[in-house]
Amino acid sequence: MLPTLSSLSPGQSARVRGLLPGCPMYRRFQDLGLIEGTLVRCLMKSPLGDPKAYLIRGAVIALRKSDSDTVTVDPAADAVPFMPAEQAVPHGAV
């Protein structure tokens, strides 16, 4: 079984491998930039675990598990290290 986007934990990155056949969100995912080779980073998950927020081509997109289960991924060895939001410097702070 191939790993899917929903299997990523906050801070993990992967490259999109493809969409499962019959994906009802196929066209919408393409519009969002979820095409083969796109680097995706899981940023955070909601308190109950669903949905999760992903960084996709510079935009933060929240996806339900049922939808992110249709996106297959490969672990990204070339991903830039991720800084959790708790450690980030607030905008304007020096």
Side-chain angles (χ1 to χ4, degrees):
M1 182 75 180
L2 295 172
T4 62
L5 199 55
S6 65
S7 67
L8 296 179
S9 297
Q12 290 184 315
S13 297
R15 289 206 177 272
V16 173
R17 181 177 211 165
L19 301 174
L20 295 178
C23 172
M25 298 277 290
Y26 185 86
R27 180 68 181 163
R28 180 67 179 137
F29 283 161
Q30 284 189 322
D31 291 343
L32 291 172
L34 278 172
I35 58 174
E36 186 178 344
T38 300
L39 183 64
V40 178
R41 177 175 294 143
C42 181
L43 297 178
M44 63 187 83
K45 63 180 179 176
S46 69
L48 296 177
D50 190 30
K52 289 182 181 177
Y54 301 93
L55 182 63
I56 305 168
R57 296 183 182 263
V60 177
I61 307 293
L63 296 174
R64 290 183 226 115
K65 183 179 184 319
S66 60
D67 293 328
S68 57
D69 275 340
T70 63
V71 181
T72 59
V73 296
D74 289 320
D78 59 343
V80 176
F82 173 71
M83 178 184 294
E86 300 85 39
Q87 296 176 7
V89 177
H91 182 69
V94 182

